[in-house]
Structures are given as C-alpha cells and as structure tokens.
Amino acid sequence: MNTSEFRRRGKEMVDYVANYMEGIEGRQVYPDVEPGYLRPLIPDSAPQEPDTFEDIINDIEKIIMPGAASPACTELETVMMDWLGKMLELPEAFLTEKAGEGGGVIQGSASEATLVALLAARTKAIHRLQAASPELTQAAIMEKLVAYSSDQAHSSVERAGLIGGVKLKAIPSDGNFAMRASALREALESDRAAGLIPFFVVATLGTTTCCSFDNLLEVGPICNKEDMWLHVDAAYAGSAFICPEFRHLLNGVEFADSFNFNPHKWLLVNFDCSAMWVKKRSDLTGAFRLDPTYLKHSHQDSGKLKPAFNIFLTDGPFHVLFQHWQIPLGRRFRSLKMWFVFRMYGVKGLQAYIRKHVQLSHEFESLVLQDPRFEICAEVTLGLVCFRLKGSNKVNEALLQRINSAKKIHLVPCHLRDKFVLRFAICSRTVESAHVQRAWEHIKELAADVLRAEKE
Amino acid sequence: MNTSEFRRRGKEMVDYVANYMEGIEGRQVYPDVEPGYLRPLIPDSAPQEPDTFEDIINDIEKIIMPGAASPACTELETVMMDWLGKMLELPEAFLTEKAGEGGGVIQGSASEATLVALLAARTKAIHRLQAASPELTQAAIMEKLVAYSSDQAHSSVERAGLIGGVKLKAIPSDGNFAMRASALREALESDRAAGLIPFFVVATLGTTTCCSFDNLLEVGPICNKEDMWLHVDAAYAGSAFICPEFRHLLNGVEFADSFNFNPHKWLLVNFDCSAMWVKKRSDLTGAFRLDPTYLKHSHQDSGKLKPAFNIFLTDGPFHVLFQHWQIPLGRRFRSLKMWFVFRMYGVKGLQAYIRKHVQLSHEFESLVLQDPRFEICAEVTLGLVCFRLKGSNKVNEALLQRINSAKKIHLVPCHLRDKFVLRFAICSRTVESAHVQRAWEHIKELAADVLRAEKE
C-alpha cells in the first residue's frame, strides 16, 4: 500500500472506529454466534493474488463483528495459523483444521515460544519418568534434565533454561556453524553416562549470528528415537519458507514437536507476532492448565464449547483455549494483522517481497566478493551477509565504529568463532538496489580510511 | 476525547504517519542524542489538568523523534513509570529518577509480573542459600522452596509456581477474604518445621473474586523479617490508588520488593500495559541477564551507555536494559500510550474517572440492599459489587443463566467459600447512572422470573 492509499484507508478506519463508538449502545453485549462459526465463512487458505481493501473491510463487518472479540479472536487465530502453516507446507499434524492433536498459536516473541516449549517438554518428561518410577520427586528429576542447542543458538534458549531451572548444554557447531548428529550424539552419550536425562533440543534454522541452519534431517530422528522434545526455532528464516525454492531448508520439521518463527521479522506483520505450532496441543495445556471458577464457562466440560465470557479469554472450536498455551492470560487480537497482510499482499506478493530481499543480499555479496580487501564469512542463504576486511579484529572493529558513527547505515556485528564479523542485513520494506549500491560505496570509502589510518 | 475530536485527531495521525513514510529517506538511521537526553525535556510528574492534543503531538516531534525508538522507548518508559509511581505515592525506593536501586518497567500482564517476581525471588534465595552452604545444589534448594498467597489469589500465581518449579501454598483468608498475619505465620511455622524454605509471598490488593484486600501492614513486616520476597499484586485495584481517599489501601507497600498493577484494566490505557516496580532492579537482572555479542553495545561495560543498536533493545540511563527485566526480548513502545493518556486526562481527569465508577458501584449496591430478596456478599470498596439472591446456589446459577442469555448485560460469577455469587463490575469508559439503573431493573425482572419458576 503506497502512502496516498494509506492516507485514504487510514482515514476510513478512523471513521469506522468513531462510528462504532457512536453506535455502541445499539449493539448486543454478547455475540449470538456458536463456536466454530467462523471457519466456514472464510477460505481455507490464503489468497495467491491480493484482495482489495474493500473486500477485507466488508469481511470485518460481516465476519468479525458478529463474533465480537470472543470467540472471533481465537477462531480467526486458528484459521490464520492454518493459512500460514499451509503457506509453509507444514506437515498436517501441525494444523488445527484437521481436528487432530496439533495446532498453532500466536506468541509475543520467539523467546516466549522457546520457553513455552521447554516448559511443556519439562512437564512431559517429569510425568513420563514419574509414571515409570513413582518414587522420584519433581526436584530429583529436574536436577538431571538437560536441554541442548547449538553453540550458535540465540541467547533466549539459555534464558529459557535458566527460567525453567534445567541445565542447558551448547553443542559445538560444525564448520558451517550447524549442529550435526555426531556432536549431538557425543553429548548425549556422555551425559547419559553421567546419569543425566536429555529431554529437549532446540534446533535453529537461520541463526542470529550468521543465518546458519542446524541439520534437522540428522538431528530430528535422534530426538524422536531418544524421546527428546524437538523445538525448531526459525525466528528470522521462517518467513522465507513460503517460497518453494527455500522450503527445503525446513525439511525435517516433521520430526519436531514444536516449530516457531516470527512473521513480525520478515513477513510484513507488525511487531509483535510470533507464530508457534505444536504437534500435540495437550502437551502445552498440560503444562499450564488451571481452572478457577471465574475462568470457567458454561459448557467447558461438556465437550460443547460456548464463547468465553471474557473478551481476553477466548475460546475456539476443538477445545482451543489459548490461555493454556502461553505465559500471559490476556490476549490481543493479533490474527487480524495476519489476515490483513496475507490478503493485501496475497501469497505471491509476499513471496516477491522475500525474493527481492534475498536477491539484494546476493547483490551485496557479489560486491564484497569483487573487492579483494574483503571476505565473506558465512554462506549467504537469505537476507543476511556476514563479511569483514581480511585482517585483524581490530581493523574490523574500527571499520564498524566508523560506519555506525557516520549514521548513514547501521550494522550490528557478531563473533564467528574468534572472528569479529560485520553483518549486512536487508530488512527494510522499501529497500532497493540503489540503497545497497550506495551502502557499499560508503563502506568502501570508510574501509579505505580505516586502512589508511592503520598504515600511518 | 469525544468521537468528533477523535475523527479529527485520528486523521491527523494518519497524515503524520504517511508524512513520516514519505520523508523517511531524509532521516538519519541512528539518533544523535546521548543517553539520558529525554528526562530533562519533560516535566517530572504528570500534569494535574489536561494538556492539549497539539501540545502532545508537538512534543512527539520535538522529544521522541530525535531519539527514535532507541533510546527514546526506554527513556520515556522510565519517566512514565516514575510519573505513575508518583501518582500512586509509591515510596521513592521504587522510582528510577532518584538514581537509587529501584525502578519501574511495563510488562504485558500481571501474570508475567508475578512470574518475573517469583523467578527473581527464586534466584535470590538460591544465591543466598548457596552462599551460606556451598554444597547445596540448585535442585536441592528448589525442592524445599515454598511460595505463599491467599486462597483468594488469582490463578496466575499458582501458574507462576508451576512454571518456576516451586511449591505454592494457599493461606486461608479471613472472614473478609483477606490474608492475615496469623494464618501466614501458622503456615510458615509448620513448613519450616517440615524442613521447607519459605521464600516468596504474593499479597493481593483487590482480588479477582470479590476485590478483597490482603492485610499488607500485617503481612509485610513478616516477609521482611523472614527474608521472603513480597510481591504485591493490585492488578485491578491499583488504578484507584491515584485518588487520595483510596491511597490508604496501598499502605504497607513500603515492605514490598515488587509491586504491580494494570493501567490497561482501569486507567484508560489500552491493553496491554501492566506496570511493575521493584525496589532493587539488580534482583531482576540477576535472574535474567545474559550478554551475547549481538546484544552488546559500545559502552556497555564502561559505565557510559550509548543508544542500543537494535530498535527493540533499548537502553536508558542508569544502566536500564529492559531486556533483562522480562521474559521476551523484544519490546513495544507502550509508554507512549501512558504519556498520551496521562496528558490528555490530567491526574484530575483520571481521578474523576475512578471516582465516578466507584460512585456507580455504590449506587448499584444500594439498589441491591433495598431489595430484601438479595444480599451483598463482600464489602464494596471500588467498582465491583458481589451480590446474590438469598437462597440456594441453584437459584443463583439459574439467575446468571437468564441474565447472560438475555445478552443485555453480562456478568461473570465467582465462588466465595461455598456460595455461588454474581459479580456486577463497573468497567466501561462511557458508563452512566442510567445504565446501572436499567441493568438493575433488568436483573430484578429476571430474578422474579427465576423465583416464580422455582415455585412452580
């Protein structure tokens, strides 16, 4: 949407809200709809081509308003998570519509998704071990539980371990910064020999440092065989999997118990919107479920759900009560953002957006490769280019300092093993080739200054 | 703001955003400001009388935009939390401006605040016990830790215990549904005798069921003396403490380690915005802090902070890095909502809003008291009236069923001891006496139907 259409549509939305407020006394305080009303009213997958803004707004009045915040909020979320799951070609076990055991939920951040997965895995492991050995206390089990992730995993994984009160071990990644079977197996063997209980593995697709990919096809089967929960964190890279040419990067997700990525990072949905799927939703609800009277509703135990009484505690079909899927109790209506974005761009528009960013990062990569003073430090797969001046960390730190002090572009560095590395990330909605070219000219100039200063 | 002004201002905001997007290439990618730039630019407390909308928008352009998302997001949050803390007359130890050890942070929900407090308390207790007895493992300590709350506390407290992997015990409340010293002391003595380690108490001000108040002046000194973290949860009632006539309900907060309430519940700030203060912020950061390279910034360890490099990881003065204060890593700019609301209403406007609700709930209470068929079930202090038909739970369940099926008003019930109770909550921004009168007439009619049906 360009700014002139934004001006028009934005003002229409302001009037929509004002009209709603003016007419609110004429509305019913509670919806008439029955649970499950929403899904039949909308398509079962995202449109390939964009819908018009009029179509979307008309659907808001026709489909959302009669269902108010509850149950519409939960129901739209289950459908949008199915739409998105299908865009990624997730295995059917993760979708809600099949009335199976899985489903998707919007979390606030990948950190929360990792924590929720770890807590569910912890509860499951404790139940399993106590079923086998009823004399074991929870504390005795927790003391022995070990979680694993690659040494390239995001710090939020370590934090989830801290919060969950379990050990977390870093598996040394290979030359491509990927977790592989051999290193994981080695850790498992030595930990089991020491009496510990491996229970949880986080595999990262698209690490924060250099966008490397853990080897899911190797790691997944080990997790399944060893009865460890596998959580796949694709916070950044996940958006790219809507393109068939990048979908192979997700191969092996069929081994996962939970999968998460952030549409707010790279799929044009405003912050926050972190999409999480589980194969068995009772694993989540088992970890969190409590039912005080004031959260009960009329048909909760009868197998027939009614809309919840509280606008933030919303129910959907198939016994979906998202309050049991997450840390907070309250929820915002975040699936509306997904609905608008998916329809206004269409799947093709979103694919084109991803492809453009990947193409621009390869354009930057080739510029770097043409300059013998520089090196590329990790394979460029999506929108991130890790590069540096050949030479010391000191000279690269000096270059970063100059770049960020000039304030024309902004780079966030990382360490890859012992190397200080600069990261060029394509991430703006409006980025064009001209920006990339200009940024590279600017970097080259500053690099020349740095190298000159070094010689003096 | 009435709807006609909303139409005008809303459209101005749409243009503001569109203008920003059109001019974005002319803006610097990184702010020039120094950490701490913001506080001197705005008053040190909320205005008593409303500011004009023009004043606020001018300040956005003048004060926020030069500081971009970082560090403005964190800096405005620290100042708004100070404003709000002063509105509540919180002890100075909880404010950031004094450059002491405390401060405020916006969480997403009271559930998260309780969990964060419990995790901080757990870490502190483990450190203390391990310092005294280095041979103790974390698991050995966690097995013995016990947290306490009243039997009227919100279910999120129990959930925090589940997630944190510690025992939670419910203290029987007194005849006014309040936690008192005697019952708490009894539990502590028996648990200590059994070898357990009490470490955490949640006191609730304004319970969900009936808006009862735990006795902070009794419970607080016990917590301090026994080295237990005291968390005060005033999720709903907290907003009322901005009125001097209700401030006494907060007496005893000076004994607390952390305090939380939800401005999104009753202070006109849109969901979500949960305000949490701690006396010693290092207790929180000690529980969460991890520092990978990609979250580091240039002067982090030098005592001189620079704006962070990531728009969601924002720094403020006094080493405030909110990423270490919460579960998620990313943050939204929620303090803007507080700034707008506090300025558009002024403290007096917000006080008037609270007072009107409390007055309307007393109006409803007196209507109930005038009808001998009904009884009031708990003291009416703020905006909640707990009432029921004198008689069986069955007749009250039937009444609730009729009320909620008629869909003219909507009530959420609760259990007080063995009684099924109806809850009449004044919570709409636009509620008037006429609504209360109409609701009561409606309830009386349905009650007559229920009582007639019962006799037949």
Side-chain angles (χ1 to χ4, degrees), chain A residues 108-109 111-112 159, chain B residues 107 112 322-323 326-331:
Chain A
S109 64
S111 305
E112 284 167 88
R159 208 149 82 135
Chain B
Q107 305 279 359
E112 285 166 86
F322 281 136
Q323 77 215 47
Q326 57 175 20
I327 308 289
L329 197 56
R331 315 198 82 238

Side-chain angles (χ1 to χ4, degrees), chain A residues 376-444:
Chain A
I376 294 290
C377 309
E379 188 184 353
V380 177
T381 311
L382 299 174
L384 179 68
V385 183
C386 286
F387 72 107
R388 70 199 296 276
L389 280 165
K390 292 170 186 166
S392 68
N393 282 351
K394 205 170 137 249
V395 72
N396 281 289
E397 284 165 17
L399 174 57
L400 179 80
Q401 176 71 36
R402 282 195 194 233
I403 291 170
N404 286 346
S405 298
K407 297 183 183 180
K408 296 194 174 188
I409 61 173
H410 191 74
L411 301 189
V412 176
C414 74
H415 275 98
L416 287 177
R417 313 279 185 241
D418 53 352
K419 280 187 177 172
F420 185 86
V421 169
L422 279 62
R423 296 162 67 258
F424 190 88
I426 305 283
C427 53
S428 164
R429 186 173 63 84
T430 54
V431 64
E432 298 290 344
S433 172
H435 298 109
V436 172
Q437 296 287 341
R438 215 182 303 151
W440 176 242
E441 288 305 317
H442 179 56
I443 292 169
K444 278 201 301 187

Side-chain angles (χ1 to χ4, degrees), chain A residues 3 7 11 15 19 22 25 31-32 122 137 143 155 159 162-163 294 323 326-327 407 435, chain B residues 3 7 11 15 19 22 25 31-32 122 137 143 155 159 162-163 294 323 326-327 329 407 435:
Chain A
T3 48
R7 284 180 205 274
K11 289 168 189 178
D15 279 327
N19 293 344
E22 282 172 357
E25 299 236 359
D32 276 329
R122 190 186 75 180
T137 65
E143 187 162 25
S155 61
R159 208 149 82 135
L162 263 183
I163 293 172
Y294 52 84
Q323 77 215 47
Q326 58 174 19
I327 308 290
K407 297 183 183 180
H435 298 109
Chain B
T3 48
R7 284 180 204 276
K11 290 168 189 178
D15 280 326
N19 293 343
E22 282 172 356
E25 298 236 359
D32 277 329
R122 189 186 76 179
T137 65
E143 187 161 28
S155 61
R159 208 150 81 134
L162 263 182
I163 293 172
Y294 53 83
Q323 77 215 47
Q326 57 175 20
I327 308 289
L329 197 56
K407 298 182 183 181
H435 297 110

Side-chain angles (χ1 to χ4, degrees), chain A residues 84-95 203-205 214-221 223-224 229-234 238 241 246-261 275-280:
Chain A
L84 186 54
K86 289 178 198 175
M87 285 158 69
L88 301 171
E89 293 183 26
L90 277 188
E92 284 194 353
F94 288 105
L95 305 184
T204 309
L205 300 181
D214 288 339
N215 193 320
L216 260 195
L217 290 169
E218 287 186 5
V219 167
C223 294
N224 287 184
W229 182 295
L230 174 60
H231 177 68
V232 175
D233 172 9
F241 306 155
F246 299 123
R247 173 57 178 78
H248 70 95
L249 294 167
L250 186 57
N251 287 350
V253 74
E254 56 275 17
F255 300 110
D257 297 282
S258 52
F259 168 68
N260 170 255
F261 85 98
M276 180 188 194
W277 290 265
V278 286
K279 244 186 213 155
K280 210 173 153 187

Side-chain angles (χ1 to χ4, degrees), chain B residues 344-383:
Chain B
M344 292 188 64
Y345 282 83
V347 174
K348 287 186 181 170
L350 293 169
Q351 288 170 336
Y353 175 74
I354 297 285
R355 283 172 182 141
K356 180 173 185 181
H357 279 197
V358 177
Q359 183 206 313
L360 290 176
S361 77
H362 283 302
E363 182 176 331
F364 185 82
E365 178 190 24
S366 73
L367 292 169
V368 174
L369 287 171
Q370 283 161 37
D371 189 323
R373 298 170 299 173
F374 285 89
E375 60 185 349
I376 293 289
C377 309
E379 189 184 353
V380 177
T381 312
L382 300 174

